[in-house]
Amino acid sequence: QVHLVESGGGLVQAGGSLRLSCAASTRFFSNNDMGWYRQAPGKQRELVARITSGGSTNYADSVRGRFTISRDNAKNTVYLQMNSLKPEDTAVYYCNRLPATWVWGQGTQVTVSS
């Protein structure tokens, strides 16, 4: 069973930045496409950024141009750099492979104040 541990969330003012990290406990990390997901209160979990095993990236329209996903295969870690944060980015953020078949971690809370 793969364990996912997200970190880096916090409270930030609108326009601020945060960098999220997610460590995966698998030596096969580099073989997997990875994604960052988020779930806001009362809403379904959504995929906001993805990175393939080869390093290609894609983003949801709502975050494109503001968020950057990256990975360090030597550390089994995927990152999400979030800039120009908006109150609507407030959510719990999770990582998982694509498709999301690993057990979800606890997530990391991001709260953006206006």
Side-chain angles (χ1 to χ4, degrees):
Q1 177 173 318
V2 176
H3 293 277
L4 298 167
V5 179
E6 298 92 349
S7 61
L11 173 63
V12 64
Q13 289 188 331
S17 298
L18 286 172
R19 188 192 192 209
L20 307 183
S21 300
C22 172
S25 65
T26 171
R27 59 192 175 97
F28 301 111
F29 175 81
S30 63
N31 297 342
N32 288 275
D33 296 352
M34 294 296 298
W36 277 98
Y37 305 74
R38 68 185 181 188
Q39 186 166 21
K43 295 188 177 181
Q44 289 192 336
R45 190 171 297 174
E46 62 173 342
L47 176 67
V48 297
R50 63 191 297 168
I51 184 167
T52 68
S53 58
S56 297
T57 59
N58 199 3
Y59 301 91
D61 289 344
S62 58
V63 308
R64 187 174 292 114
R66 300 187 297 121
F67 291 9
T68 302
I69 188 171
S70 60
R71 65 192 299 161
D72 185 339
N73 290 333
K75 297 182 178 179
N76 292 348
T77 299
V78 62
Y79 303 97
L80 187 68
Q81 177 67 44
M82 305 187 296
N83 299 328
S84 303
L85 282 161
K86 304 176 180 180
E88 52 264 44
D89 295 319
T90 295
V92 180
Y93 284 71
Y94 305 86
C95 74
N96 209 313
R97 67 182 298 273
L98 288 157
T101 58
W102 291 340
V103 175
W104 294 97
Q106 82 287 351
T108 186
Q109 175 71 50
V110 172
T111 303
V112 184
S113 63
S114 56

